[in-house]
Every structure is written in C-alpha cells, then in structure tokens.
Amino acid sequence: MPTTSLEKKTFILLLVLVTIAFIWILMPFYGAVFWAVALAVVFAPLQQRMARRIGGRGNLSALLTLLVCLLVAILPVIFVTSAVVAEGTSLYQRIDSGELDVGAYVTSTKEMLPPFLQQQIDRIGVGNLDDLQESITSGAAAGSQYLATKVFAIGQGTFQFVISFFIMLYLLFFLLRDGQELVRDIRMAVPLGDNTKRRLQIKFTRVVRATVKGNIVVAAVQGTLGGLIFWILGIPSPLLWGVLMAFLSLLPAAGAGIVWAPVAVYLLLSGDIWQGVVLTLFGVLVIGLVDNILRPILVGKDTRMPDYLILISTLGGMALFGLNGFVLGPLIAALFVASWNLFAAGKKTVRLPE
C-alpha cells in the first residue's frame, strides 16, 4: 500500500481509472453480468445447502445449482418469450389483414353502454367513434407489429444472444462456487465501517432476492392464472394477454386488472354473462389475492418500499436499462434509501437525560 500522500493520491487515481475502464469493457455484456449476479444472489442459499449435503464439494454443488437455475428460471423464460413473439406476429397479421377489427369491438362496446354513460364519454371528448376506433386500431397494430419485429431482431442478434447467454452461465457458475469469498473480499476493500458495509450488503441481498424471487414469481403466477382463464373462456391470444398481465403486475399502480377488467366488462355487455361473471370472480378472488398472499411470504415486510417509489424506479429503470431495469431500478432506489438512512442515523446525536 502506498505510504506518502502523493503515492496515495496517485494510487487512488489509478484505481478509479482502471475501475472505469473495467466497467467500460463489460458494458457490451452488462445484461449477462447483471443477471449472473442477480441469479447468484437468489440461488446462493440453494448452493450452500447442496454443498453441505455433498460434503462441501464446491464445483459439484455449483454445477447442480446451475442446472436447477437453468431448468427453473432460464429456459422457461426463453420458451415463453419465443411463444409470445410468435403469437404477437400472428396477431399483427390478423389486424393488418382486417380479419381482427379492434376498433369495431370498441364501437360495439360503447353502443352497448347505457345512454347516460355514452353522454359522459362524449362529454370527456372520447365520443368520436371514428377517431377512437382509428386510434385504438393503430395502437393495437403498432403494439403487435413491435412484437412481430422482434422475430427479425432475435434472428439478427442470435450470435450476440448466444454469446451473452453462455457468458451469463459461465459467470454464474463461478459466482455460485466462489460467491462467499468474493463478498468477503469486496467488503474488505470497500473503505467504509464494518457496520455500514454489513447493512448495505444485507439491503442489497434482500432487495435483489425480493425483486427477482418475490416480484417475478408473483407476476408469473398472476400472468399464468390470467392466461389460463382467458384460454378456458376462449379469448383470443391468451398467452400474449397472460404475459401482459404478468408485466403490469410488476407495477404497483397498474396490476393485471388493467387487462382482465375491461375484457370482463365487454363480455358482460355483449351478452356473454356467465363468461363475464366467471372472469370477474376469478380476477378478484384468485388473481387479485395472489399479490396479497404470495408477496408478503416471498418478499417480506422489511424489504418493501413505498409503492410510489417502486413505480417510479421501475419505470425509470426500464427507460434507461430496458428490460433489465425492472430489477435495476428498484435496486438502485433501495440502496439510495438505505444509504441516506445510514447517513441520517450517523448524524443523530444522543440526548442525555435531564
């Protein structure tokens, strides 16, 4: 370690420069690196239990954990994504050819409403059926076209995807095997107090596990249930709607009800009473209760942030980092809150009794 003041400043400058350079060379594969770290944090307890059961053999326990992670978390996401893109392509073709007229559904729904509701719709400025029909049809076409273009994007980026995928698996293996040693080395290197480092590490671990394990599992369950009831009721493109419900359930102010509730209303107004009633009851009693039952179990009360902070950080994270942002956004927000709480706690003075 440098001793003189000039040597220390030079060494710190060198440390900052090489750290920035290292992060820079990792940026092309930052998604692979990030998900390797996130999955390692989530599956670390499983790897540790396996290591104890097989006599502490790190390589074998890490390999077995990697296989479990691949089968449980990674491959299902790849298969569902491929199926959703294919279904989106089919939906776009049906809208583009005129086989599926989205605007006509909106028109018929408005005409089925009671007269006083139609007057309220006209009063707020959305009563022009031609403009409304054109807007919704173009919006639906644009959304399904976006999914359709992903087919070509995936084909063009196959090599990049394969490289990133194997980098993630390769890095995940070593993080599972050597994760505890790496965490100890990082904690020793960070120039903070032991108590501060421990609390930040605990907060980081809890937020990653809560976001990846808790929020994603809850979203997957809600999306699966929503897609299943859509398929049972014969609603077109159930997989696509199920994935949309899963995505919206990640946002506290949105939720899966944004998808199933309008469909239930349309079914009731169009005369499909039993389908509308079944969808409404299932949405309220099953899909809606999943969040209240599973989230406290998987996430825990001590890792929850205010809903408004989760919403803003999730949307902001996705705007900056793409799909990875729904984990990165809340993680950065949680570390921000934890850091300021630690700073505020350090500023508090102890009052002597009078």
Side-chain angles (χ1 to χ4, degrees):
M1 181 68 186
T3 55
T4 67
S5 176
L6 179 60
E7 287 179 340
K8 288 181 180 180
K9 292 179 180 178
T10 304
F11 181 74
I12 291 175
L13 177 61
L14 176 64
L15 188 63
V16 170
L17 291 176
V18 296
T19 302
I20 294 174
F22 181 69
I23 295 174
W24 183 39
I25 63 174
L26 290 182
M27 285 306 295
F29 301 101
Y30 89 94
V33 175
F34 169 73
W35 281 106
V37 173
L39 291 173
V41 171
V42 173
F43 285 90
L46 176 62
Q47 187 273 335
Q48 294 166 10
R49 286 196 295 268
M50 284 189 175
R52 288 193 295 267
R53 286 180 175 272
I54 60 178
R57 287 181 286 181
N59 286 326
L60 182 57
S61 62
L63 181 60
L64 292 175
T65 307
L66 181 63
L67 292 176
V68 171
C69 178
L70 191 65
L71 294 174
V72 172
I74 299 175
L75 291 181
V77 171
I78 295 176
F79 292 147
V80 170
T81 302
S82 302
V84 168
V85 170
E87 196 164 283
T89 304
S90 175
L91 180 62
Y92 168 70
Q93 292 173 348
R94 292 176 62 191
I95 294 176
D96 190 52
S97 64
E99 178 184 352
L100 182 62
D101 191 351
V102 180
Y105 287 107
V106 178
T107 302
S108 60
T109 301
K110 180 179 181 295
E111 292 174 348
M112 287 184 289
L113 293 174
F116 74 93
L117 286 180
Q118 294 189 34
Q119 293 175 2
Q120 293 299 323
I121 292 175
D122 294 336
R123 184 174 301 174
I124 62 177
V126 293
N128 191 324
L129 293 181
D130 293 335
D131 294 343
L132 183 63
Q133 181 174 346
E134 182 179 354
S135 299
I136 293 180
T137 302
S138 60
S144 55
Q145 185 181 22
Y146 173 78
L147 288 175
T149 56
K150 290 301 177 184
V151 175
F152 302 102
I154 290 174
Q156 293 172 355
T158 299
F159 181 74
Q160 177 76 12
F161 172 79
V162 170
I163 295 296
S164 298
F165 181 72
F166 281 102
I167 287 176
M168 183 191 70
L169 293 181
Y170 183 77
L171 183 58
L172 178 58
F173 171 81
F174 288 101
L175 290 177
L176 288 170
R177 190 191 69 178
D178 306 324
Q180 290 180 309
E181 290 78 5
L182 287 173
V183 170
R184 281 196 293 267
D185 293 341
I186 292 173
R187 286 183 60 176
M188 290 180 61
V190 174
L192 294 172
D194 290 338
N195 184 55
T196 301
K197 289 188 289 187
R198 183 181 61 84
R199 292 179 64 178
L200 287 175
Q201 177 194 340
I202 292 173
K203 188 66 175 179
F204 174 83
T205 304
R206 285 178 177 175
V207 171
V208 171
R209 287 178 181 167
T211 305
V212 177
K213 182 185 70 175
N215 294 344
I216 293 182
V217 169
V218 171
V221 172
Q222 288 186 318
T224 301
L225 292 172
L228 180 63
I229 193 63
F230 272 42
W231 176 73
I232 292 174
L233 296 177
I235 298 171
S237 304
L239 180 61
L240 182 62
W241 294 120
V243 171
L244 184 58
M245 280 186 272
F247 173 75
L248 290 174
S249 66
L250 294 170
L251 304 177
I258 289 182
V259 176
W260 65 259
V263 177
V265 171
Y266 175 79
L267 291 174
L268 291 172
L269 293 176
S270 61
D272 298 323
I273 303 298
W274 75 267
Q275 292 97 328
V277 171
V278 168
L279 182 56
T280 302
L281 293 176
F282 191 86
V284 173
L285 300 178
V286 180
I287 300 177
L289 289 180
V290 165
D291 188 81
N292 297 327
I293 295 175
L294 282 183
R295 196 178 298 274
I297 297 175
L298 296 174
V299 177
K301 295 181 180 179
D302 56 343
T303 59
R304 293 299 305 274
M305 291 187 295
D307 285 345
Y308 65 86
L309 187 58
I310 296 176
L311 175 64
I312 294 174
S313 61
T314 301
L315 294 177
M318 294 185 69
L320 290 175
F321 304 109
L323 191 59
N324 300 322
F326 79 87
V327 177
L328 275 171
L331 174 61
I332 294 172
L335 292 177
F336 169 81
V337 173
S339 301
W340 277 99
N341 285 339
L342 288 173
F343 177 77
K347 289 291 184 180
K348 291 180 180 179
T349 57
V350 180
R351 294 185 60 185
L352 296 176
E354 298 179 356

